[in-house]
Amino acid sequence: QSALTQPASVSGSPGQSITISCTGTSSDVGSYNLVSWYQQYPGKAPKLMIYEVSKRPSGVSNRFSGSKSGNTASLTISGLQAEDEADYYCCSYLGSSTFVFGTGTMVTVL
Amino acid sequence: QVQLVQSGAEVKRPGASVRVSCKASGYTFTRYYMHWVRQAPGQGLEWMGIINPSGGSTGYAQKFQGRVTMTRDRSTSTVYMELSSLRSEDTAVYYCASGADYDSSGYWVDWGQGTLVTVSS
C-alpha cells in the first residue's frame, strides 16, 4: 500500500487561509469517511487535529477544518498563525483494520 | 489523565530483534485499541499495526507482516511491539497511540513519547 499523496510544502502569510490536500484512491480515502489529520512539531509526537474527515477533537481550534471530495481529503487552516508552522499528515483507513499515512506537508508561515 | 509511557532508547545490531513497551494509565486499558507508528529520521509517519488490548487480536501493515509481533499484558496495562530481523532502515522513533474504541477509527488522541531504535553495526 503506497502512502497517500500530499504536497511537500504549503506556505501562507499570517491571517491567510491555506489548504493541504491528501490524495488517495477509491480503495482508501474514497471508500471511507475515516480520514484523520495530525500536526507534528520537530521532535514531538503527532497531535490529532481532525478525525472522521471533518470532526475536531476537544481543544483543537476551530481554525482547523477538514473535508473530502472523492479520493481527495483536505485540511484547511484559516487565520494562519505562527504557531501553525509544523508538519501535517493525513491518515486513512484501508479496511481490515489497517491504515496508511500521507507523505506529509510542511507548513510555513511567511 | 491518559498517559502512554514508552520504554527507553535501544541500540541493536542488524539481524537482531527489539521489543518496545508502552504502559497505559488513566483509563480502562481494554477500552481502546493501540496502534504503533514509526518515523525514520527526517521522514514521514508510517503505520505499523494495531492490537486490541481486550482480546489480543492484531492487524499489521503488509510491509511488516512476518517481522512484527504486537502483544499485551492486561495485568500491567502494557502493550509490546517486537520487530525482528532488524536492518538499518528500521532506525526510527517508534510511537504507540491510542484513543479509538473501534478498530477502524483514526481517533488517536493519545500518544506515547516515542522510543528511538537505532540499528547499527
Side-chain angles (χ1 to χ4, degrees):
Chain A
Q1 175 65 41
S2 299
L4 307 174
T5 301
Q6 298 181 231
S9 62
V10 172
S11 62
S13 299
Q16 286 187 328
S17 292
I18 61 169
T19 296
I20 303 168
S21 61
C22 169
T23 301
T25 69
S26 58
S27 297
D28 39 63
V29 175
S31 283
Y32 308 97
N33 288 323
L34 293 169
V35 176
S36 50
W37 288 89
Y38 295 86
Q39 175 192 63
Q40 186 182 35
Y41 294 113
K44 301 295 186 182
K47 175 186 177 183
L48 178 66
M49 306 302 284
I50 295 288
Y51 68 103
E52 292 175 14
V53 175
S54 60
K55 298 179 180 179
R56 272 189 312 273
S58 174
V60 171
S61 171
N62 59 10
R63 298 185 299 104
F64 291 85
S65 61
S67 62
K68 192 187 87 167
S69 177
N71 299 335
T72 299
S74 299
L75 174 72
T76 298
I77 308 174
S78 58
L80 198 62
Q81 299 180 0
E83 67 200 50
D84 300 330
E85 188 161 293
D87 293 327
Y88 292 82
Y89 295 89
C90 61
C91 181
S92 176
Y93 183 63
L94 290 175
S96 302
S97 302
T98 62
F99 293 80
V100 64
F101 277 100
T103 50
T105 299
M106 178 187 303
V107 168
T108 302
V109 181
L110 302 171
Chain B
Q1 75 283 17
V2 174
Q3 272 197 304
L4 301 178
V5 178
Q6 298 183 221
S7 48
E10 302 262 14
V11 179
K12 295 292 182 181
R13 300 293 190 199
S17 297
V18 67
R19 190 174 82 155
V20 180
S21 67
C22 172
K23 183 174 175 59
S25 62
Y27 69 100
T28 302
F29 176 66
T30 53
R31 179 175 177 183
Y32 300 132
Y33 288 77
M34 194 73 78
H35 298 258
W36 287 90
V37 174
R38 78 176 187 179
Q39 186 170 37
Q43 302 300 309
L45 301 175
E46 184 172 31
W47 184 81
M48 298 182 69
I50 180 177
I51 182 168
N52 179 352
S54 180
S57 60
T58 56
Y60 305 133
Q62 194 169 7
K63 173 177 179 176
F64 300 103
Q65 291 274 3
R67 266 208 318 142
V68 70
T69 304
M70 296 176 188
T71 57
R72 94 300 189 205
D73 181 341
R74 290 193 294 182
S75 68
T76 59
S77 298
T78 302
V79 297
Y80 299 92
M81 186 284 298
E82 181 168 8
L83 188 62
S84 63
S85 302
L86 290 169
R87 34 212 189 227
S88 58
E89 309 90 88
D90 294 317
T91 294
V93 175
Y94 290 76
Y95 294 100
C96 56
S98 186
D101 53 10
Y102 57 98
D103 63 347
S104 57
S105 171
Y107 188 76
W108 310 339
V109 68
D110 298 299
W111 290 69
Q113 83 275 20
T115 296
L116 175 62
V117 175
T118 303
V119 182
S120 175
S121 55

